[in-house]
Amino acid sequence: MPPQSTEEERVNVVTLIGNLATEVELKDIGEDKQVANFLLAVDRPGKDEADFVRISTWNKQAETCARYLTKGKRVAVDGRLRSSSWEDSDGNKRSAIEVVANRVQFLSPPPGKEGTETDIPFETAPA
């Protein structure tokens, strides 16, 4: 019998920073349940390329993302990986991996606030 794994060995944690590559799609999926989906473009270090990762977020956070985020906005996402597999209409096996967001932090300034001093999260330290 294989040894029992500890919680630390079964960690599924993802943190990504990138720009929305699509608009947020919000769906009602039942009584008081909503899901929002979008693609996040994450730059590859040292290359002029990006990876595109599907993000899903739920309920109140889904509603907030749909209300305030648009294509091109920069966000940080903390969540977990979820894989799924299915058979398409032609009988081919398909699979996908997405990030289920626990937290989405908005990194782009609100409209009309770009480049203002209020965007600076700290004061300049005296010399």
Side-chain angles (χ1 to χ4, degrees):
M1 185 181 254
Q4 294 287 335
S5 59
T6 64
E7 282 296 316
E8 293 80 20
E9 293 171 338
R10 293 184 281 149
V11 173
N12 180 355
V13 177
V14 176
T15 301
L16 299 170
I17 296 176
N19 295 344
L20 270 70
T22 62
E23 296 295 336
V24 178
E25 181 183 340
L26 182 66
K27 294 181 187 175
D28 289 314
I29 57 167
E31 195 172 313
D32 295 330
K33 286 193 175 190
Q34 295 177 309
V35 62
N37 295 294
F38 56 90
L39 276 182
L40 188 67
V42 180
D43 290 335
R44 291 183 181 177
K47 297 185 179 185
D48 196 19
E49 298 176 353
D51 291 305
F52 294 87
V53 181
R54 173 131 334 255
I55 308 293
S56 65
T57 185
W58 294 84
N59 302 324
K60 186 67 173 171
Q61 183 170 251
E63 183 181 322
T64 302
C65 287
R67 185 172 182 183
Y68 294 106
L69 291 178
T70 57
K71 184 177 178 179
K73 294 292 186 181
R74 191 156 187 81
V75 296
V77 175
D78 291 324
R80 64 179 173 82
L81 290 176
R82 178 172 62 189
S83 63
S84 57
S85 57
W86 67 96
E87 196 171 291
D88 68 15
S89 58
D90 296 328
N92 300 315
K93 290 186 179 182
R94 308 286 305 225
S95 64
I97 294 178
E98 70 178 338
V99 173
V100 178
N102 296 326
R103 190 180 98 178
V104 177
Q105 182 177 356
F106 299 4
L107 300 178
S108 292
K113 300 284 185 179
E114 290 88 357
T116 65
E117 289 186 24
T118 58
D119 294 337
I120 301 172
F122 54 87
E123 293 180 6
T124 305

